[in-house]
Amino acid sequence: MHRSLRAAVVNPATFAVTLLVIGNVQLSTFAVFGCFALLVMADFGGPRRARAVAYLAATLAGAAAVTLGTAASSSAAAATLLMLAIGFALSFADVFGGYLTAARPALLLAFVLAVSIPAGVAAIPARVAGWLLAGAVSTLAGVFFWPWFERETLRRRAADACLAAADLVEAMLSDAPGDELTRRRDAARDALREVRSEFTRTAHRPAGPTRADRAFVELLTQLERIVELSERPFHQRRPPLRPSIDERQRLVAAVVGALRGSAVVLTGGPPPDIRAVDQAWRAHRTALDRWAVDQLRKGRAPEDVLEAIDLDHTLRVIAYVTLALSANAVITAGGRPDDSVPLPAAVPRLEGTQGVALRIARTIRAHLEPDSTVLHNSLRTGAGLAAAVLLARTLGLSHAFWVVLGTLSVLRSNALGTGRSTLQALAGTLIGFAAGGVFAVLAGDHTVVMWLAMPVAIFLASYAAGAVGFVAGQAAFTLAVIVIFNLLSPAGWQVGLVRIEDVAVGTGISVVAGLLLWPRGARRDLARATAGLYRAVAAYLESAFGLVLADGAAAGVARARAEALRARGRAAEGFDAFLAERGAKPLDPETAGRLISAGNQALLAGDLLVVVAADLGYRATSCPDAARAVEAQVRALLGTVEHLAEELDGRRSGAAQRTERSAVPPSTSVRSAVVECMRRAVHDESAARGAMAALIAGEWVDNLARLAAEIEDAVRAAGEAAATPWWR
């Protein structure tokens, strides 16, 4: 509503000044469409200063696009090739999120408008002047005229989720009654759902290469991990022997305090005490080891001691996740976490220009892959727009830019979605043409009536697409076009007829592009990207388990993790594209989300295994029998993950893979080997650390095997959806 009212006031005023006072049609055209592009299609958010910078940057980039487009407009070949390059580049830039994503539609409109209307280089000054005027007016309006500070709202939602997570952890780790734990878990889920919903609605989502944006995305992932961990059964076990150590309560207090402190820093308060969590986490590990050795020396059965140690497994995982979450909350709020604390791998480390450049390079590398959804969509968009420019110029269509805009408006990630959007675009255009044609006939030559109608038309064109739907948006935009062009050059209802013809051509090009270029769209790309994620995470887990069990090389672990992160980025983009597809989905979005979440959980397991070995120094080499038993489990687990990946990308049928899949050996063999090693710990403390390493690795094998079993149905559904013909 704010955006639409702002556009309804600013656009007509700017148009009136440029047309009635300055009297230059080229300048007026680019001024009115520039205001619409920057105030409606872009509509930057964020704090006033960042918002102003974004508007000014988009204005300068748009001026460059207008210059390039005008210079190339006299040659059909040059216009086509340049449209291909710019369409691809701007579409690919979506992967960086943030202001780049918000600016993309406006910059595309600037170039399309300039390249589709042939003019000599002499027209460049007037066109650029119109765009620059629109940029100056839009910057002032966007910063001072009903600004909507959605970033602050988003952080408040995240703070509420942190508080709900703190309440949940407190109840879960303090033996709260079952109904109270359920109530707090539901409250945490609701809070997380709210922040995710707000994140989806935010025009300038913090998903770019800056450190703060990446930290916020990681923070949301970590909140999800904490809620998921509360649903695991570890904390529900009640062994006969429980560790009676003060360090446990200190760790619980530090974790809960850090979660609440993260909420405070997100709303402008002081940072959480990250150091306290790190110190309590390490002290708890040392105290737990010492307690275990003391109990063994007192004659306690090793089986009972191991059961007691298992009790704190969830607490230690949550504490590690909280370390990362708290650091990311500080970075999100613009601060700098304590450098003396070894931060988890999920915290973006590099600051400034170097960090941004590195993250940009990593992101580009991750998505310049043959199976990348971003690459497919970018190539499809660039090719479709280039074909639209070439056909419009070859056929000599009047108002050729509507052909290109028609192509852009309905080009979706699959052929079926494009076909549906084509029908919707034509229906909306016909409705708008009917309404606009009747109005043009009734208004006749009464220019004053047209000027009075323009604010209403601009408001409807701004409001309808977001608040009502695609068809309504197309209808309202067609009505606004009829009004604008009748003020520029009175032609009555015929302007609407021209738009119908051009949109029909443009949408036809979209259908052809959708049929020829990856017609199955996001569901196929999502399945393949998720399969790639599982394979990359499996390689990382193999290295991480090797570090714990066989004294593997840390360098290989780092390389495997970097590849897993790139695969996670591709899968996340595939999931976003899948959610953005219009129409019925052959795969439930919640099911698809579970597949991505499972990959993230496995990545977290690898991170914790690396910390156990490389940071805390737990290696199973002093318990070779236990290490070999866990290694057998790891091999079976990795085989299961590979089978799941094959089912996702359709290499084999799900039934055949389930027949061939080897089950993970029972944990009893690991348990007995660890117990035997624990017996030696009475006289050899290194055996105790080796036993702990094998025990931790074995627990993660059990957790991941359980996770793999839980997602089997989801994998089957995703594989079947990916194999479904594009027309279904």
Side-chain angles (χ1 to χ4, degrees), residues 190-550:
D190 291 343
L192 188 57
R193 193 178 301 113
E194 284 293 324
V195 68
R196 276 294 184 189
S197 177
E198 189 69 35
F199 182 80
T200 302
R201 290 194 300 266
T202 301
H204 168 204
R205 290 196 292 273
T210 66
R211 193 182 188 207
D213 285 352
R214 296 312 309 164
F216 186 83
V217 173
E218 293 289 352
L219 183 147
L220 294 186
T221 300
Q222 287 139 13
L223 282 170
E224 290 177 343
R225 296 293 81 74
I226 290 175
V227 175
E228 288 167 356
L229 286 166
S230 75
E231 299 170 352
R232 298 291 175 180
F234 310 128
H235 64 278
Q236 298 172 2
R237 295 198 295 235
R238 295 293 181 266
L241 181 65
R242 303 184 68 180
S244 54
I245 53 175
D246 295 336
E247 286 80 2
R248 184 180 195 275
Q249 295 307 317
R250 291 175 191 157
L251 181 55
V252 172
V255 167
V256 172
L259 288 171
R260 289 177 176 154
S262 298
V264 172
V265 75
L266 287 171
T267 52
D273 193 348
I274 301 175
R275 178 187 289 274
V277 179
D278 181 66
Q279 291 177 342
W281 187 62
R282 294 173 185 276
H284 176 263
R285 180 78 263 175
T286 302
L288 197 60
D289 290 352
R290 187 172 56 247
W291 175 87
V293 173
D294 289 343
Q295 294 300 312
L296 290 171
R297 287 174 177 170
K298 291 178 181 178
R300 290 283 190 178
E303 295 85 349
D304 293 342
V305 175
L306 290 177
E307 283 289 329
I309 291 172
D310 285 351
L311 185 66
D312 281 354
H313 179 73
T314 302
L315 167 60
R316 296 193 56 75
V317 176
I318 288 177
Y320 182 79
V321 174
T322 301
L323 271 174
L325 185 151
S326 301
N328 284 322
V330 173
I331 296 171
T332 298
R336 183 176 182 178
D338 191 345
D339 289 336
S340 64
V341 177
L343 297 177
V347 178
R349 284 168 169 73
L350 289 176
E351 300 179 81
T353 305
Q354 181 185 2
V356 172
L358 182 60
R359 282 183 283 275
I360 288 175
R362 286 175 176 171
T363 301
I364 292 175
R365 179 183 173 186
H367 294 285
L368 286 179
E369 296 282 345
D371 290 337
S372 168
T373 302
V374 174
L375 182 64
H376 292 177
N377 289 342
S378 302
L379 289 173
R380 186 188 298 111
T381 299
L385 293 177
V389 169
L390 179 62
L391 187 61
R393 297 295 299 275
T394 302
L395 297 179
L397 298 176
S398 59
H399 296 99
F401 66 96
W402 294 123
V403 177
V404 188
L405 288 182
T407 301
L408 181 63
S409 65
V410 303
L411 193 58
R412 298 293 172 245
S413 62
N414 64 16
L416 183 59
T418 299
R420 287 171 174 161
S421 296
T422 295
L423 297 177
Q424 293 171 345
L426 290 174
T429 302
L430 286 170
I431 294 171
F433 165 68
V438 170
F439 174 75
V441 171
L442 294 177
D445 296 330
H446 296 85
T447 307
V448 174
V449 176
M450 285 288 180
W451 279 109
L452 292 175
M454 186 178 177
V456 177
I458 293 293
F459 173 83
L460 292 175
S462 306
Y463 185 79
V468 182
F470 183 62
V471 175
Q474 288 290 107
F477 193 60
T478 301
L479 176 62
V481 168
I482 291 175
V483 172
I484 290 172
F485 274 91
N486 271 287
L487 289 171
L488 282 170
S489 178
W493 56 270
Q494 290 91 341
V495 173
L497 183 60
V498 169
R499 172 161 163 76
I500 292 175
E501 295 171 349
D502 294 341
V503 167
V505 174
T507 54
I509 293 171
S510 293
V511 172
V512 173
L515 286 172
L516 295 180
L517 301 175
W518 302 284
R520 287 181 178 173
R523 65 182 185 239
R524 181 68 171 270
D525 289 343
L526 173 63
R528 288 181 172 176
T530 306
L533 171 62
Y534 287 2
R535 290 192 176 97
V537 169
Y540 177 45
L541 287 172
E542 184 177 15
S543 298
F545 276 114
L547 203 62
V548 176
L549 300 173

Side-chain angles (χ1 to χ4, degrees), residues 678-702:
M678 288 288 284
R679 296 187 196 281
R680 294 193 287 111
V682 176
H683 306 292
D684 180 8
E685 291 194 9
S686 66
R689 293 181 68 82
M692 290 294 180
L695 178 66
I696 293 169
E699 285 175 339
W700 277 113
V701 171
D702 289 344

Side-chain angles (χ1 to χ4, degrees), residues 22-293:
I22 299 176
N24 187 303
V25 173
Q26 290 275 8
L27 190 148
S28 298
T29 301
F30 280 81
V32 69
F33 282 104
C35 282
F36 190 87
L38 293 169
L39 287 179
V40 177
M41 301 174 77
D43 188 35
F44 298 110
R48 291 184 193 273
R49 181 176 178 180
R51 184 181 304 207
V53 170
Y55 272 112
L56 293 174
T59 299
L60 295 177
V66 170
T67 302
L68 286 174
T70 304
S73 65
S74 57
S75 167
T80 300
L81 292 176
L82 203 54
M83 184 73 260
L84 175 64
I86 289 182
F88 172 83
L90 289 178
S91 181
F92 190 87
D94 260 358
V95 73
F96 297 113
Y99 286 137
L100 284 173
T101 297
R104 182 181 67 88
L107 298 180
L108 269 177
L109 178 62
F111 182 79
V112 165
L113 193 62
V115 81
S116 302
I117 304 176
V121 293
I124 291 178
R127 290 182 169 191
V128 171
W131 181 270
L132 291 176
L133 176 62
V137 171
S138 299
T139 300
L140 293 173
V143 173
F144 298 108
F145 190 2
W146 278 334
W148 184 260
F149 298 104
E150 74 284 354
R151 179 66 73 92
E152 285 73 12
T153 303
L154 187 58
R155 288 183 184 173
R156 284 197 299 271
R157 297 287 191 195
D160 292 341
C162 287
L163 291 175
D167 292 341
L168 172 60
V169 171
E170 187 176 45
M172 183 177 64
L173 299 175
S174 60
D175 298 331
D179 55 346
E180 177 64 15
L181 180 60
T182 300
R183 186 186 67 79
R184 295 196 187 189
R185 185 182 292 123
D186 291 342
R189 285 200 198 101
D190 291 343
L192 188 57
R193 193 178 301 113
E194 284 293 324
V195 68
R196 276 294 184 189
S197 177
E198 189 69 35
F199 182 80
T200 302
R201 290 194 300 266
T202 301
H204 168 204
R205 290 196 292 273
T210 66
R211 193 182 188 207
D213 285 352
R214 296 312 309 164
F216 186 83
V217 173
E218 293 289 352
L219 183 147
L220 294 186
T221 300
Q222 287 139 13
L223 282 170
E224 290 177 343
R225 296 293 81 74
I226 290 175
V227 175
E228 288 167 356
L229 286 166
S230 75
E231 299 170 352
R232 298 291 175 180
F234 310 128
H235 64 278
Q236 298 172 2
R237 295 198 295 235
R238 295 293 181 266
L241 181 65
R242 303 184 68 180
S244 54
I245 53 175
D246 295 336
E247 286 80 2
R248 184 180 195 275
Q249 295 307 317
R250 291 175 191 157
L251 181 55
V252 172
V255 167
V256 172
L259 288 171
R260 289 177 176 154
S262 298
V264 172
V265 75
L266 287 171
T267 52
D273 193 348
I274 301 175
R275 178 187 289 274
V277 179
D278 181 66
Q279 291 177 342
W281 187 62
R282 294 173 185 276
H284 176 263
R285 180 78 263 175
T286 302
L288 197 60
D289 290 352
R290 187 172 56 247
W291 175 87
V293 173

